[in-house]
Amino acid sequence: MLLSCMALYSASLWALPFPVQLSAEAIEFNGFRFEQVNMQMFDQGISLTVKQSRLDAQPDIELKEFQLQCTELGDAATGWCPAGNWQLMVSSGKHEWQQKLQGTINAAQWDEQNRQVTSQLMAGAFAATLQYTEPASGPHVQVEWSKQELAKLPFRAMLPAQMEWVKAGVSSATLTVKLASKESELTVGYKVGLQNISLDSPEGRFAAEGLNMQANGQWQPGSTEKITIAAKFLSGEVLADRFYTAFGPKPLLLNAQLEMAGDQLKLKQLQLNDDGALQLQASARLNLKDPVASLKYQVKELRMQFPQAYARYLEPVLATWTLDKLTVTGGFQWTGSGEGNDFPSGALAFDDLSVVDHVQNRFAFTGMSAHVQVGNSQGVSDFSWRGMLLGRINLGAGKIDLKTAPGLFELAAPLKLSVLGGEFAVDEFSLQLPPANADTEPVVNFHASLNAMDMKQLTEALGWPTFDGKISGQIPGASFNQGVLTVDGLLSFEAFDGRILLSDLRVERLFGVLPSLAADLKIEDLDLQQLTQTFSFGHIAGKLGGYVRNLRMLDWSPVSFDAWIGTPDQQSDSKHISRQAVNSLTSIGGGGATAALTGPLMRMFSNFSYRRLGMGCKLENYVCSIRGLEDEENSVLIMEGSGIPKLMIKVFNRRMDFPQLLANLSAASSGQDIRIGDP
């Protein structure tokens, strides 16, 4: 712009006798104001100095100490001021920054048909070409550079502070500045290419490596700044907090239109397209002083197609919950709107979505279909699936109806599923999410029941020793807080004509690495005859009760507890136990009744009477400390006989390796040989 002034003045004063000197306190030209202008023209050259200038459209930018030296004026054939030298100081009080620019003029053509100035542009180690032209559409300046290191960019101080995170990379760009005129405002068009960008934030939350992208658009300053962006992310890796992605092989396309007036930012249009994996059309507005509370947004369409979208956008985030390496197919779509911390409203749809854990085999959800009106209290939403597998427990197909309100999901009708030969019924379920700015946890209301589930199918699915029977029970309520599932109240299960009560149940990392479980159990009036008939343990009549306190399991294996199982202290009469059961009990504990059973008299009996049974175990460091009905110096009593013959079973090995004890129990239940020995 100042170069054009020089050419204009030199053209208009060409016919005057030399030397010529011109001074002015101020000159206004095409939106610029030049102060303290001094120009001298000689027969062989020209000298021009301007102390200060300012652009009306960008008052924060000041141009200071412009100097131009032309050793020769040239002519229309060779161009005005060939090989002229110039320099300029640019500063910004807002950014506390200044930069010295300088260059050599290659050509300055100035006539009615061709008004153009071309020059080199240097700013420290930064090099570019500068061209001023004045076509019929209005004057404009073009700056172009190729493969310049980002660290050498002269205007870094005016860019966001995050530019300091950039460690390496080069840029190529063309900036076209259309100067303000009576017919149009100042606009800046840009085409930028970034290659091999490497950046790292101080705390390590944001990083990029090998990033390559292209962008073009337009910036129009003024009281309301307007920006358009069309970008392609071609290759490279990006980390943003917990989000990670690697671009390629096809580019991610970004288009946006922004307007900014003071602290008010309006995103008039945002479009993302990632080769079908991701499609987004949205708009938003916010105040930069309080962006979260002031945010208003409208999502016209958000569509993800799997497995591409899972690998590109979701897997890196879900890996925190060990939900990586899943097989995900199908897709989902969301349309909606929201304000600040309020819950969004809109429509969520699943299209044949399947999520399968093929690696760890923890779960599988297949054929999910949903049409959910989030935040809409009118009508009922539906959610269905063709298959659901938790571990090796098959829950089959199902469909639920949901009532929704802002932040609330609630069953519209009870859910009943045929599971393991019985029924699993969810009578009540609701999930109330807290507002985004609330320091509270989701509120879960849950009540379910089990009815006549087949124990054989359940134990086989869990990999436990199999036994027959049915299980029924109630699950009164549950909550989920910071990754911990807590079940409220007592869980009551009916099995073997008795009850098992589960309390204080807490599960951490349910689907994660090393899931943890804590609980207390109480056993009431289990029928020993049904229980022992289920196994090959032998036959025992009577009732069984007990407890397991302070149970702690890691990766579904016990690591500590204090347990006791036995017959009631006061039985109505003596009960009987089979020879096989006596052998099993004796073999497990390493006790001393087996040899007695081989005598001539004892071989006549297949069943024996007993008065009471009882055995306890306190597990620490995978060693079980045994206690019984009575503790003696070298043994504990675990069965007290009754009548004739009277058998007493004692355990002499009072500290047992717990994995070996479990193996012995399993072997006794299947009729196999049992190992007895110290841990």
Side-chain angles (χ1 to χ4, degrees), residues 244-311:
Y244 166 84
T245 191
F247 296 109
K250 294 188 177 181
L252 170 67
L253 306 180
L254 165 68
N255 289 276
Q257 295 181 12
L258 300 92
E259 290 185 0
M260 185 181 301
D263 295 320
Q264 300 295 324
L265 174 63
K266 181 187 294 185
L267 182 60
K268 299 184 67 175
Q269 177 180 295
L270 173 65
Q271 292 182 330
L272 287 172
N273 192 327
D274 187 7
D275 192 35
L278 171 70
Q279 288 181 294
L280 172 65
Q281 296 186 52
S283 58
R285 63 175 61 193
L286 56 89
N287 188 304
L288 296 176
K289 290 184 177 179
D290 192 0
V292 176
S294 63
L295 176 64
K296 296 182 180 180
Y297 60 91
Q298 177 78 40
V299 179
K300 185 176 181 180
E301 179 187 43
L302 170 60
R303 185 187 298 272
M304 283 189 171
Q305 195 66 33
F306 304 110
Q308 298 92 332
Y310 170 75

Side-chain angles (χ1 to χ4, degrees), residues 185-188 218-228 260:
E185 297 180 348
L186 173 71
T187 58
V188 179
Q218 183 174 281
W219 169 52
Q220 184 175 322
S223 57
T224 298
E225 296 185 63
K226 299 179 181 180
I227 303 172
T228 62
M260 185 181 301

Side-chain angles (χ1 to χ4, degrees), residues 371-409:
H371 297 85
V372 181
Q373 297 296 320
V374 179
N376 185 355
S377 60
Q378 303 297 322
V380 176
S381 301
D382 64 88
F383 177 76
S384 63
W385 62 92
R386 290 198 300 270
M388 183 181 296
L389 198 66
L390 297 179
R392 289 183 288 179
I393 300 176
N394 187 1
L395 300 178
K399 181 179 183 297
I400 59 177
D401 294 326
L402 290 171
K403 293 187 295 183
T404 60
L408 177 66
F409 300 87

Side-chain angles (χ1 to χ4, degrees), residues 584-596:
S584 296
L585 280 174
T586 305
S587 300
I588 291 172
T594 305

